[in-house]
Amino acid sequence: MKGQKKPDERQYLCFMMLIHRGKFTLQRENSTHYAGFCILHAAPGHLAQQLSLLHPEERSYYDTLQFDKRRESYLLGRISAKKAIGALSAFEDLQKIAIEAGIFQFPVVKYSVTRNLQVSITHCDGLGIALSHPEVHPLGVDVERTDKANTEAIKEQLTANELALTLTVPLPQPIACTMIWTMKEALSKVLRTGLTMDLKLLEIQSLVKEGELYTSQFKHLIQYKAISCQAGAYVCSLVVPGKTTPDLEQFWQFFRETVSD
Ligand SMILES: CC(C)(COP(=O)(O)OP(=O)(O)OC[C@H]1O[C@@H](n2cnc3c(N)ncnc32)[C@H](O)[C@@H]1OP(=O)(O)O)[C@@H](O)C(=O)NCCC(=O)NCCS
């Protein structure tokens, strides 16, 4: 993890844990909305110091979890989501918010003072990323690490058109496949279904390099678009409404810094 430029937006809780948080604008033709974000990186076993951030309902659930991996991912998700809410709404007492799982496992923010905030969560290895957003303006996020076994599994799930698109961009194909996969997962989070559907419904139509980022339109869900960033083996995608222009410069900078050693 690299050097510090804006200490107000970063927190080194100890050298084993790094938290970036901030907010970004979601510019639309006739309105402006705001989203909060948190990118949290923690070495294994170092999240327990954040347990006090859990609401009693979350703590009860956490105590039922048997596997260390799930305990870790649960904490990564809940802590990053709360800090993303905190980045947007200084009035919130984060311990008093509970992020419940809805019937399809989507996160639901309960007891928030700023009642219309919702979150999108992703975790991978020791990395947790969350977005907080007003309910009127959906957002989704997904992060994955590219690896050989996953790439083969992903390739089997992509359409012929999507596979062809992976060859049109200046990325190694495993990265391009992972990128498309994260776009589809992030869209499935916006829809609150997860991947419990015919994955062709999530198909992307285009994949275009724009500067350091990649953008896609969806073939069926034309109301949305995806924006992706690759850093090393990691790929992160955000899905936003098609006519929204998000100011993601700081978010991507923090993402790159977090996953680069
Ligand atoms: C939802 C899904 C896209 C998540 O992607 P993933 O790469 O596995 O995991 P990520 O770390 O990126 O995201 C996990 C977070 O997504 C969120 N999430 C889960 N289901 C969701 C849904 N239906 N809608 C929106 N968000 C959802 C949760 O916040 C979850 O974190 P948490 O459980 O700690 O709260 C994927 O797991 C899925 O489609 N699951 C449905 C199918 C299923 O349940 N399979 C498992 C049994 S076969």
Side-chain angles (χ1 to χ4, degrees), residues 183-234:
M183 290 170 163
K184 295 170 90 157
E185 286 207 318
L187 178 61
S188 82
K189 291 179 186 177
V190 170
L191 301 178
R192 290 188 154 195
T193 54
L195 299 178
T196 55
M197 59 162 70
D198 183 340
L199 297 187
K200 290 191 192 73
L201 287 171
L202 305 171
E203 184 171 1
I204 67 156
Q205 170 98 316
S206 57
L207 182 62
V208 177
K209 185 173 191 300
E210 291 184 14
E212 297 298 307
L213 304 176
Y214 292 82
T215 59
S216 282
Q217 312 288 329
F218 294 96
K219 187 168 179 184
H220 305 290
L221 275 297
I222 56 174
Q223 308 89 329
Y224 291 103
K225 66 184 174 191
I227 306 169
S228 295
C229 178
Q230 176 228 346
Y234 290 86

Side-chain angles (χ1 to χ4, degrees), residues 60-132:
S60 298
Y61 175 73
Y62 173 79
D63 288 338
T64 69
L65 297 174
Q66 310 240 325
F67 299 103
D68 287 349
K69 201 170 171 202
R70 179 54 185 146
R71 286 165 82 87
E72 186 190 7
S73 73
Y74 181 76
L75 284 183
L76 280 169
R78 288 307 181 273
I79 292 162
S80 58
K82 283 168 185 244
K83 289 185 181 287
I85 292 171
L88 206 52
S89 170
F91 308 108
E92 294 285 4
D93 181 346
L94 300 182
Q95 284 134 320
K96 292 190 176 159
I97 293 177
I99 302 171
E100 198 182 336
I103 56 165
F104 299 130
Q105 303 308 312
F106 48 81
V108 179
V109 178
K110 279 173 65 182
Y111 314 127
S112 165
V113 180
T114 322
R115 286 186 182 277
N116 73 341
L117 284 186
Q118 289 301 333
V119 293
S120 184
I121 294 172
T122 184
H123 27 64
C124 178
D125 305 331
L127 185 64
I129 302 180
L131 304 178
S132 62

